[in-house]
Amino acid sequence: HQAGLPELTVTPSWDRASKSLKVTIDQTQKTDRWVPIFKLPIDVRVVEAGKTVMKRRFWIDEKNSDLVFPMERRPDFVEVDPKGWTPGKVSIKWSRKDALHALEKGSTVVTRYRAARRLAHWIGDEVVAKKLAKQAALEGGWVGQRIAKTLGVNNTPEALDGLLSLASHKAS
């Protein structure tokens, strides 16, 4: 065993021309003689039309890894490490549309938390605020806390409504 923890940046992308989903996984931790590029398992779940169409474990052992999956149509979203088993930090760079799907349909609290964190990139977006507010009524615990943080930076009337809803939530 060696020092340090992996830091992963995951970027899913859809190529319409080739009808393929590419999931790029970059190990972004600072490496040196003590902190290596890690070899680790990564679970991937692909959701299309609200259903799991692929669920597999892959091993990555390079700084940059591309997983490419032929698909008939663009999936709703991709979950990577949905149970949070990877030590270190995992950031998923979903598109706005994918992050909204993951927030609503993510199979675990880990995925929904990551989606709420990712949605903080769309400050002032009323649709994002409405979806967060709707999800806030369903979530408690640390997902609810993450939604509150994201709503706090959204800066719209819908975000304020979501925060008020979260404040009166029975699990608060």
Side-chain angles (χ1 to χ4, degrees), residues 54-159:
M54 190 200 71
K55 186 176 176 181
R56 286 189 45 203
R57 176 168 290 161
F58 298 90
W59 283 86
I60 62 166
D61 60 359
E62 298 178 11
K63 183 169 179 59
N64 308 103
S65 300
D66 288 331
L67 307 173
V68 180
F69 312 104
M71 310 210 50
E72 283 301 311
R73 63 183 197 195
R74 184 187 192 283
D76 297 340
F77 67 98
V78 177
E79 287 183 313
V80 177
D81 184 39
K83 295 185 179 178
W85 290 347
T86 301
K89 181 180 176 187
V90 177
S91 297
I92 303 176
K93 292 189 169 188
W94 283 299
S95 68
R96 176 183 170 275
K97 180 180 177 180
D98 291 356
L100 287 169
H101 277 295
L103 177 71
E104 184 180 358
K105 302 289 186 184
S107 67
T108 67
V109 294
V110 173
T111 295
R112 295 191 307 275
Y113 177 92
R114 289 176 180 156
R117 184 176 63 200
R118 175 70 177 152
L119 288 166
H121 288 81
W122 288 276
I123 294 171
D125 186 315
E126 293 176 2
V127 172
V128 167
K130 284 179 186 176
K131 296 280 188 172
L132 285 162
K134 180 181 174 187
Q135 194 67 27
L138 305 173
E139 297 285 357
W142 52 282
V143 177
Q145 290 173 353
R146 179 65 249 183
I147 289 173
K149 285 182 183 180
T150 301
L151 286 169
V153 299
N154 187 273
N155 213 16
T156 63
E158 293 80 8

